[in-house]
Amino acid sequence: MPRANKALSERLQSVISDRRVPGAGVVLFGLDRETRIGVAGLRRSGKADRVKAGDFWHLGSVGKSMTATMMLRLHERGVLDLCETVMSGLAGTEAGRLVDARHFSSVTIADLLSHRSGIRANPTYAVFSRYVLFGEARQRINRAAIRQSLTRGIGPASEYQYSNSGYGIAGLIAAHRTGRTWQELIQEHVAEPADLPSLGFGRPEWHGENPWGHRRTYTGRGFTEFKITKRGLDLELMQPAGDVFLSLADLATYGNTHLELLSGEPHALLEPASAARMFDPVGDVMDPIRGGRYALGWHVEDAAPDFGGQRLIWHNGSDLFSFAMIGLLPESRMGFALVTNALQKRWREDQSLVWKPVAEFAALD
């Protein structure tokens, strides 16, 4: 069982108290340093059960890099080609009969992974609510969500438009080509070669004593525990966008694995050419203030202002009931992650609100 660092935990406690978040964890890691974990707060708001260093945390879209890693490994093995079209990847499937050839004739698997496919970000609220609120069968709603994603694009292909559904379509292609589920492929191509024994799927609290998800109170001045039984992420289309959880120790292992890949040296997880492709940004700058662009499963900032102008590789994620953020600094050969069991929406909209306390944590190292 990992032990929590006292200084990190105390600083984290002040951060979550200031932001009224029930519980959180932070981990600092690197290729030349010891992993350090800090935890603070409660697994469930209003209960006495405190967060532990070995708890599991939902990662949300941080898991997109796992799906991208898996797709790159299938590309290396000749199972699929990232340059082939979505129409080719889905040929012979029920989903393939739905593809709008006018929009998707030139959209590739790589476009899906770099958010340049023109696919809508998510199924509509009306589709989600038929499953979550009104109890329609999950498989039926999943088919409706796939149809909605493929029958027409909502933006020009090749232009950046963040899409969870796009990652879902990539997962469907991988499942079709291999005859295995996305979960099985992530276990085989990510969890096992990267040595992540805690990796699992769904909400962490469904798998033992772990932090619960929380929602805003009706007053808006804090969070209350929320017993989650159904979510949009239950749909097969949505899971490859990031329905995974990890312990903080394994999240550090995952981060260190990607720091090793960034070094360009041969690695058992990905060949150097595949690793370079994963971290190579596609297209123009998306954020004129921070200079960020998107690669395959990772945001890339060439000169992050929060970290002395260093190159920053990062991703955040949320299932609306929790939040996660991971960052890698290749020049310093180190990284960090922050996880909480509630979502402060401003954190998702303004990354600097997260990087500021994280930079302070790193200074304690």
Side-chain angles (χ1 to χ4, degrees), residues 244-273:
V244 295
F245 63 77
L246 280 178
S247 68
L248 287 169
D250 281 353
L251 187 52
T253 298
Y254 184 69
N256 277 330
T257 296
H258 282 268
L259 285 171
E260 291 169 349
L261 291 172
L262 281 159
S263 73
E265 297 296 321
H267 198 285
L269 185 64
L270 287 175
E271 297 172 2

Side-chain angles (χ1 to χ4, degrees), residues 105-129:
S105 61
S106 61
V107 173
T108 67
I109 297 173
D111 291 332
L112 297 173
L113 299 178
S114 59
H115 298 303
R116 293 180 180 272
S117 65
I119 292 179
R120 65 172 55 249
N122 299 292
T124 61
Y125 177 78
V127 168
F128 279 140
S129 63

Side-chain angles (χ1 to χ4, degrees), residues 118 238 249 256 261 316 334 344 352 362:
M238 301 304 294
N256 277 330
L261 291 172
N316 61 10
M334 69 165 292
Q344 283 277 11
S352 65

Side-chain angles (χ1 to χ4, degrees), residues 323 325 338 347-348 350-359:
F323 176 81
M325 176 83 91
L338 175 71
W347 288 358
R348 192 167 57 176
D350 184 353
Q351 287 77 47
S352 65
L353 296 176
V354 180
W355 294 137
K356 181 178 179 181
V358 166

